[in-house]
Amino acid sequence: MVTALAKIFLKDVKMNDSQGRKAYGTLCSVVGIFLNICLFVGKYFAGVLTGAISITADAFNNLSDAGSSIITLVGFWFAGKKPDTEHPFGHGRFEYVSGMAVSCLIILMGLELAKSSVDKIIHPQELESSILAITILLISICVKLYMAFYNTGIGKKIDSVTMKATAIDSLSDSVATTVVLICVLVNMKFGINIDGICGLLVAILIIYAGIGAFKDTISPLLGKIPEPELVDKIHDIVMKHELVYGIHDLVVHDYGPGRMMISLHTEVPGNENVYKLHDMIDNIESELQEKIGCEAVIHMDPIEVDNQVVTDTRSKVENIVKSIDEHMSIHDFRMITGDTHTNLIFDVVVPFCVEKKHDEIKNNIEEKISELDDKYRVVMKIEEDYIGN
């Protein structure tokens, strides 16, 4: 259905820009609203027919999904708005906000259904088995699996956290409906009423799916680390240029899907022509924009590349830092030699996985460097790692 509608209404729309994301998000949301309302009507009728709280609970779960699709639709419309004077980075994060609202609605619905199911366990009621109800539940499972399929596919293509969360919700709904179907079949075959228990299981699945979706949508708002694949791609693009000897201080700023800015430092030879280096940096920034779709700001850090003493000393300091914790690294290494002592100036990157305190790390490094040569004086800055290495 979605593919056919896309060919009719979105045949000239590209997926990889903001307007394309908005168009495909709108289409999937409208289809989701329509299908979920149909499922609600069918299941509610089946629930009234059989008196099963598990079926009625599943029906209202579909109704909440329709409401979620409406919120998703609004989210895509706001996220697709162009940047303005008050929001120069666009409105892309509104998609994350709408996804968070969807997940909260899912959790609340799950809690309400859990309450109703517990009441049914305490006060069970006789159920009426129906072939029609079974047919409706089977159709519902198939529809929800289809919704999970198309939301997953398009969610990956347009990189939408909200649609991926909707896909997970649809998949959990199909599992929940399967549980309800088992409840009806057990009652029909053996006369055993497990309606309240099945309703509670459905509620737990709904709550679990809602919590998972909440985590997926709140993380980008808080500022999560970039995906390793993205970091590797940036590294490969920058490091392929022969005058780049290293990169560090990479920071990825996510303002919503398709709205990403990055900043990083490159180590370049200090004896090279500055205009040549500046031209290279301009080319790297353009390449990052073309291949990754991000705005890049690159800072140049000059280093000595033809001084063997500096190279050897840097290697020794790197080994010292690695001996304290293999996850740490250094950059911007310089040596300033004086009459009485030599300053070793460098930055140490400490990932969040390193448990030692910064003062302890600094003291350990200073002690070990003093063992190399008592004339060495350490001028060190400790930095956090923003890419999760």
Side-chain angles (χ1 to χ4, degrees):
M1 177 188 285
V2 173
T3 303
L5 291 174
K7 288 181 178 179
I8 296 172
F9 297 104
L10 307 178
K11 58 182 178 180
D12 297 324
V13 176
K14 297 180 180 179
M15 276 188 169
N16 57 357
D17 59 23
S18 60
Q19 293 305 310
R21 296 184 79 262
K22 178 180 176 181
Y24 274 91
T26 299
L27 175 62
C28 291
S29 297
V30 171
V31 171
I33 293 169
F34 172 74
L35 292 177
N36 279 307
I37 289 177
C38 290
L39 291 176
F40 166 73
V41 173
K43 287 183 184 177
Y44 186 78
F45 175 73
V48 172
L49 192 66
T50 61
I53 182 63
S54 54
I55 298 179
T56 305
D58 206 23
F60 277 98
N61 178 36
N62 292 139
L63 185 62
S64 73
D65 289 341
S68 299
S69 294
I70 294 173
I71 295 174
T72 301
L73 177 62
V74 174
F76 272 109
W77 273 92
F78 275 96
K81 290 179 62 178
K82 295 181 179 180
D84 53 38
T85 54
E86 294 185 356
H87 307 93
F89 301 109
H91 303 78
R93 284 182 176 172
F94 201 92
E95 185 178 331
Y96 301 146
V97 175
S98 67
M100 186 170 61
V102 168
S103 60
C104 289
L105 187 61
I106 292 170
I107 293 171
L108 288 174
M109 181 60 67
L111 292 172
E112 185 62 32
L113 296 179
K115 179 182 175 182
S116 301
S117 298
V118 170
D119 183 64
K120 278 288 184 178
I121 294 173
I122 298 172
H123 305 100
Q125 296 179 4
E126 186 176 348
L127 302 181
E128 294 290 337
S129 299
S130 169
I131 297 298
L132 177 60
I134 293 174
T135 303
I136 291 172
L137 292 175
L138 286 171
I139 293 173
S140 174
I141 293 170
C142 294
V143 170
K144 278 296 180 180
L145 287 174
Y146 167 69
M147 292 176 69
F149 172 77
Y150 79 70
N151 277 297
T152 299
I154 296 180
K156 287 181 179 179
K157 289 180 180 179
I158 68 174
D159 190 25
S160 170
V161 175
T162 303
M163 290 191 66
K164 291 175 184 177
T166 303
I168 293 172
D169 182 44
S170 297
L171 189 61
S172 68
D173 285 347
S174 66
V175 175
T177 305
T178 302
V179 173
V180 175
L181 178 60
I182 292 171
C183 162
V184 174
L185 293 175
V186 168
N187 181 73
M188 178 183 290
K189 182 70 175 178
F190 304 104
I192 301 174
N193 187 346
I194 55 172
D195 181 39
I197 296 174
C198 288
L200 185 59
L201 288 175
V202 170
I204 292 172
L205 287 172
I206 293 169
I207 294 170
Y208 180 78
I211 292 173
F214 184 85
K215 289 180 179 179
D216 289 339
T217 53
I218 195 66
S219 189
L221 287 172
L222 293 176
K224 68 175 183 177
I225 63 171
E227 295 295 332
E229 295 81 7
L230 174 63
V231 175
D232 291 341
K233 193 169 184 179
I234 293 172
H235 184 273
D236 292 342
I237 290 173
V238 177
M239 289 301 299
K240 77 176 184 180
H241 294 265
E242 61 178 354
L243 294 180
V244 176
Y245 285 77
I247 68 172
H248 55 270
D249 290 346
L250 171 62
V251 181
V252 178
H253 308 272
D254 180 6
Y255 294 99
R259 295 173 176 84
M260 180 172 59
M261 297 186 68
I262 68 171
S263 61
L264 60 95
H265 290 211
T266 57
E267 292 183 342
V268 296
N271 59 353
E272 189 58 73
N273 182 280
V274 68
Y275 292 103
K276 182 178 180 179
L277 293 174
H278 187 272
D279 182 65
M280 178 190 68
I281 294 299
D282 281 345
N283 291 333
I284 295 174
E285 290 175 344
S286 298
E287 191 174 352
L288 288 169
Q289 171 68 52
E290 179 183 347
K291 294 183 177 180
I292 301 180
C294 65
E295 295 287 339
V297 178
I298 301 177
H299 173 79
M300 294 187 295
D301 288 325
I303 61 172
E304 289 191 75
V305 296
D306 54 359
N307 189 322
Q308 192 60 43
V309 174
V310 173
T311 302
D312 292 343
T313 306
R314 172 172 178 154
S315 179
K316 292 176 182 178
V317 172
E318 285 178 334
N319 291 333
I320 287 173
V321 172
K322 291 289 185 183
S323 70
I324 295 173
D325 193 294
E326 63 179 4
H327 298 96
M328 297 192 304
S329 61
I330 69 169
H331 58 77
D332 283 353
F333 185 86
R334 289 168 289 160
M335 291 181 66
I336 308 296
T337 304
D339 295 333
T340 59
H341 65 276
T342 298
N343 285 334
L344 303 184
I345 306 170
F346 56 92
D347 296 339
V348 180
V349 180
V350 181
F352 292 104
C353 64
V354 177
E355 296 182 356
K356 291 184 178 181
K357 295 182 179 179
H358 289 185
D359 288 342
E360 181 183 358
I361 293 171
K362 184 177 181 180
N363 291 335
N364 289 344
I365 293 174
E366 289 175 345
E367 289 174 6
K368 290 180 179 291
I369 288 179
S370 66
E371 295 174 1
L372 293 177
D373 191 325
D374 59 8
K375 290 185 179 181
Y376 286 158
R377 299 289 184 272
V378 178
V379 181
M380 175 184 11
K381 177 183 176 184
I382 294 183
E383 301 177 344
E384 304 283 5
D385 175 31
Y386 295 104
I387 58 174
N389 286 341

